[in-house]
Amino acid sequence: MTERRLLLATGNPGKVREIRRALEGLPLEVVGLSDVLPVKPPAERGRTFAENARAKGLYYSRRWPGPVLAEDSGLEVDALGGAPGVRSARFSAPRPSDEKNIRRVLRQLEGVPPAKRRARFVCAMVVVLNGRVIAEFRGEVEGRIASEPRGESGFGYDPIFYYPPLKKTFAELSGGSKNEISHRGRAVRGLRAYFEAKIKALSGDAPDRA
Ligand code: IMP
């Protein structure tokens, strides 16, 4: 891997912020789509987060000479049969917004007691190089849907994602604390370890080369 610029294949500023933070300190320059490759994103047609992440990664890899990091993530609510799932970003289509998505989830859960509001965030992440998926990671975090939005930080469904161990919604956590427990934080730690091992091997001091 000679190209040390890692293309982060997402236009979502919330995700860019979190992934950049989690990869800090690695000798990789993390570049965003809008900086280097302002092309139309591909349609998301996959049935799973992993399928969508792979499709995004392969799409951008055809247009980028170095490694591409793509991810797909979303919220699964048990009482809604796993919805919004891969439709998380566009749950309130035709003109979706975070606020409308949240309202729609809350409306569909009206009257559902706390014990039956189990939900999880899921994140599928892939690294693609030269048109080939070379690594995949997955992270999940369990919680439940709050009765109303709380907190100002984060993005997406964070204000209604209640995390019982901390008795807070994700929007009530600082960026650092969210990264420690979140689906994306978990996936990105796998990714970080992967890059650390690769970089070590490239610099010639991997234990198996000693
Ligand atoms: P994607 O860009 O298709 O992966 O859209 C993922 C959508 O899932 C986002 O737009 C959010 O609505 C939701 N989502 C994913 N990760 C998070 C998170 O960490 N917090 C809140 N919402 C999230």
Side-chain angles (χ1 to χ4, degrees), residues 196-210:
E196 278 169 352
K198 273 255 181 261
I199 289 163
K200 206 166 168 195
L202 281 175
S203 66
D205 58 3
D208 56 339
R209 289 206 189 176

Side-chain angles (χ1 to χ4, degrees), residues 108-175:
Q108 295 195 352
L109 287 178
E110 254 166 32
V112 177
K116 298 211 165 122
R117 295 170 80 100
R118 280 177 59 120
R120 75 200 52 76
F121 275 129
V122 179
C123 171
M125 228 171 230
V126 303
V127 181
V128 182
L129 183 64
N130 300 329
R132 206 166 57 85
V133 175
I134 56 170
E136 298 196 56
F137 307 92
R138 184 182 167 93
E140 294 188 12
V141 59
E142 296 282 335
R144 64 169 193 251
I145 302 301
S147 54
E148 57 186 14
R150 248 174 37 200
E152 305 295 328
S153 38
F155 68 97
Y157 297 93
D158 281 343
I160 55 166
F161 189 81
Y162 180 77
Y163 185 64
L166 296 181
K167 297 190 167 61
K168 285 183 174 169
T169 69
F170 268 18
E172 294 178 299
L173 301 178
S174 69

Side-chain angles (χ1 to χ4, degrees), residues 3-7 20 26-31 36 64:
E3 167 68 67
R4 288 256 167 139
R5 285 186 304 163
L6 172 71
L7 176 67
R20 264 189 206 282
L26 286 181
L28 277 172
E29 189 190 337
V30 180
V31 293
V36 294
W64 179 251

